[in-house]
Amino acid sequence: MNQLFPKWTNRLPAVATVLAVLGAPTLVFMVWYYFSPWYLEVGYAPDQPVPYNHKLHAGMFGMDCRYCHQNVERGPHATVPPTQTCMNCHVQVKKDSPLLAPVRASFEALAKGESDRPVPWIKVHMLPDYAYFDHSVHVTAGVGCISCHGRVDQMEVVRQEKPLSMGWCLECHRDPAKHVRPVSEITNMNYRHDEALAKKLIAAKKINPPTHCSACHR
Ligand code: HEC
Ligand code: HEC
Ligand code: HEC
Ligand code: HEC
Ligand code: HEC
């Protein structure tokens, strides 16, 4: 008989009882909870046209994030690197690897003067258009990449670690002392957080993240 019903059905009576006792609000809560961005987007890790590996390049080789994400301290977008950045090494290293074929195709197109043909990277993180976000403001205030992207240096495939929901933004804006560090450490994935130092930096730099609607909805 055991084979007829999968194991999880054992828990059905318990679930049904809980629902009967707590009623509709629980159901509403559960639907809201499971369909909120924590569940929809966290963990999103699309396959990329080239299996570029952060764990290898940023982790094992210790390349700084800013070598490739050059705009992160200067403007709203961190940007993904142009093909030239990869070819700085891959004209020599693994130059015939089939995995790098799309990178070479992009590079050859550029060399021939054809119009821009970047590697078609698939975007992982994506805010809706109505929400305004600027990288440079955050990193120059001393918020490290790790606070919003997790241990990218340990990821073979980049995945979204945080929900990027409004509640998540506000959680930090109301209490930035849990995240602020010296600006020299923003890309350091092994930095040990020091809350007393964070409070000093916040006071000295008059850091005061906004919570009014028009800051993020312009
Ligand atoms: C050698 C170049 C290189 C280095 C160094 C590098 N990255 Fe990347 N990064 C890329 C490329 C290429 C992509 C796009 C492909 C992908 O998502 O894997 C990317 C994608 C990302 C994304 C996802 C972007 C999106 O689409 O939402 C994040 C976040 C990111 N990198 C963070 C980091 C962090 C943090 C570091 C430092 C620990 C770092 N990267 C170091 C090349 C690099
Ligand atoms: C305060 C949170 C926060 C911090 C700190 C942060 N990011 Fe991001 N990052 C985001 C959000 C939010 C997005 C999505 C932006 C969008 O869709 O407009 C994003 C997107 C990206 C992307 C995709 C390209 C782009 O600009 O949209 C890359 C690459 C990236 N981040 C790299 C980094 C690196 C490298 C650092 C550290 C130097 C960093 N980020 C620090 C929140 C952050
Ligand atoms: C600083 C030098 C350097 C840069 C810049 C660089 N790589 Fe690499 N990459 C390497 C090295 C070294 C290896 C490992 C070679 C080995 O396994 O012997 C490697 C391996 C790879 C591999 C695996 C190839 C295979 O056949 O195993 C891919 C894919 C790759 N890199 C993609 C990229 C992309 C995409 C970029 C640009 C965003 C990039 N790399 C930038 C040095 C670099
Ligand atoms: C880990 C902490 C943290 C997270 C998460 C975070 N922020 Fe911030 N934010 C800050 C800090 C620190 C500042 C700088 C305040 C200052 O310098 O006074 C800031 C400033 C801002 C500002 C005002 C500066 C400007 O660019 O106009 C906006 C807007 C903003 N953040 C939007 C967002 C949005 C949208 C999100 C979520 C997608 C987000 N932030 C997530 C810490 C954070
Ligand atoms: C720190 C930045 C920030 C502030 C301040 C902020 N929001 Fe948002 N808001 C966001 C982000 C980011 C999203 C997108 C969340 C997502 O993709 O799930 C959002 C989404 C929304 C949505 C759409 C919700 C949904 O589920 O589709 C509404 C409505 C909204 N905000 C209203 C407000 C109002 C009203 C205020 C002021 C009381 C406010 N926001 C303040 C960042 C902010």
Side-chain angles (χ1 to χ4, degrees), residues 50-53 56-57 61 63 67-69 80-90 93-101 103 119 121:
V50 177
Y52 169 75
N53 183 341
L56 185 73
H57 292 81
F61 304 153
M63 293 174 66
Y67 180 85
C68 289
H69 302 296
V80 290
T83 302
Q84 175 66 57
T85 308
C86 311
M87 290 306 261
N88 288 346
C89 292
H90 287 293
V93 181
K94 291 268 179 189
K95 65 185 173 66
D96 299 316
S97 166
L99 301 179
L100 283 156
V103 178
V119 177
W121 301 113

Side-chain angles (χ1 to χ4, degrees), residues 1-206:
M1 281 305 278
N2 268 344
Q3 304 301 323
L4 278 179
F5 298 97
K7 249 205 178 113
W8 63 267
T9 55
N10 291 345
R11 278 167 42 215
L12 275 183
V15 172
T17 311
V18 168
L19 282 181
V21 172
L22 299 175
T26 319
L27 192 66
V28 170
F29 172 78
M30 285 172 70
V31 169
W32 169 77
Y33 189 68
Y34 282 104
F35 289 92
S36 71
W38 273 105
Y39 276 86
L40 283 179
E41 285 154 21
V42 169
Y44 179 56
D47 281 339
Q48 298 288 346
V50 177
Y52 169 75
N53 183 341
H54 278 83
K55 189 175 172 185
L56 185 73
H57 292 81
M60 283 173 64
F61 304 153
M63 293 174 66
D64 191 273
C65 314
R66 289 162 293 190
Y67 180 85
C68 289
H69 302 296
Q70 291 183 3
N71 206 42
V72 75
E73 290 172 303
R74 290 185 226 133
H77 302 292
T79 68
V80 290
T83 302
Q84 175 66 57
T85 308
C86 311
M87 290 306 261
N88 288 346
C89 292
H90 287 293
V91 281
Q92 285 170 8
V93 181
K94 291 268 179 189
K95 65 185 173 66
D96 299 316
S97 166
L99 301 179
L100 283 156
V103 178
R104 288 193 299 271
S106 164
F107 195 61
E108 279 153 22
L110 283 175
K112 276 190 226 138
E114 278 175 35
S115 59
D116 198 24
R117 215 176 102 194
V119 177
W121 301 113
I122 296 163
K123 215 163 158 18
V124 183
H125 302 78
M126 189 101 76
L127 284 180
D129 287 342
Y130 60 78
Y132 175 80
F133 178 80
D134 184 319
H135 270 92
S136 65
V137 170
H138 289 86
V139 296
T140 56
V143 183
C145 316
I146 196 173
S147 289
C148 303
H149 296 299
R151 288 299 301 250
V152 177
D153 65 321
Q154 295 177 351
M155 296 179 193
E156 284 171 18
V157 178
V158 181
R159 68 174 176 276
Q160 183 172 325
E161 285 274 296
K162 306 288 177 184
L164 311 189
S165 63
M166 180 162 125
W168 173 78
C169 308
L170 287 170
E171 202 173 295
C172 178
H173 277 208
R174 293 199 182 104
D175 188 13
K178 289 209 175 67
H179 296 276
V180 168
R181 52 174 77 189
V183 172
S184 57
E185 306 298 324
I186 53 166
T187 60
N188 180 356
M189 294 276 151
N190 296 305
Y191 176 76
R192 270 194 53 228
H193 187 64
D194 179 341
E195 189 143 345
L197 176 59
K199 285 185 174 145
K200 271 190 211 147
L201 290 167
I202 287 169
K205 293 164 76 179
K206 300 196 172 64

